[in-house]
Amino acid sequence: MIKPRALQEGDRVAVIAPAGPADEEKLKQGIVVLENMGLEVNIGRHVLDVEDRLAVADEKRLADLHEAFFDPTIHGIFCAVGGFGTARIAPMIDYARINRNPKIFWGYSDITYLLNAIKNIVT
């Protein structure tokens, strides 16, 4: 298994919503926690966007995921919320590029689907 380096104070991290839309108040609270840990927080462009019951279209959620993994200044990725939608973007993920850009990737609930997909394909 590829193990990225541990996060350090001053590292830049991304918060994305690859499953469902984030709750704005909870997102703000989470950002404060990360900043209090000494991390610089970058929010994905589509974290608060909503179309129907899901966050925005699959392609937009996938774009936030790819941008976070492919940005060399980002050292960790936090998913703002779990929920339906992760399985829909899994077949479209560029796993080869993720393999070349390992980062801490954290999430819960349906994000576990992506965690396992990335682990099983990238390792």
Side-chain angles (χ1 to χ4, degrees):
M1 177 178 358
I2 297 171
K3 289 190 175 184
R5 73 170 181 78
L7 292 175
Q8 301 170 10
E9 190 171 329
D11 279 349
R12 191 165 177 244
V13 298
V15 176
I16 61 172
D23 175 276
E24 189 170 3
E25 278 308 307
K26 289 180 182 177
L27 177 66
K28 288 177 184 177
Q29 292 171 4
I31 291 168
V32 169
V33 169
L34 294 172
E35 290 175 339
N36 286 340
M37 294 171 63
L39 301 170
E40 180 185 332
V41 181
N42 180 62
I43 306 300
R45 288 184 289 158
H46 305 291
V47 169
L48 294 172
D49 295 352
V50 177
E51 294 173 2
D52 197 19
R53 291 186 331 247
L54 287 176
V56 296
D58 295 347
E59 294 77 18
K60 291 178 181 177
R61 291 181 287 117
L62 178 66
D64 279 355
L65 176 81
H66 280 161
E67 287 173 19
F69 266 105
F70 305 158
D71 183 337
T73 69
I74 299 289
H75 291 95
I77 302 166
F78 292 86
C79 298
V81 66
F84 179 77
T86 57
R88 292 169 41 151
I89 67 169
M92 299 181 280
I93 294 173
D94 186 343
Y95 294 101
R97 281 189 70 189
I98 288 174
N99 191 43
R100 293 189 303 270
N101 298 284
K103 300 174 192 262
I104 292 172
F105 183 64
W106 182 89
Y108 65 96
S109 186
D110 286 19
I111 300 301
T112 305
Y113 186 95
L114 290 182
L115 292 166
N116 286 316
I118 291 169
K119 181 195 175 291
N120 290 330
I121 294 174
V122 170
T123 58

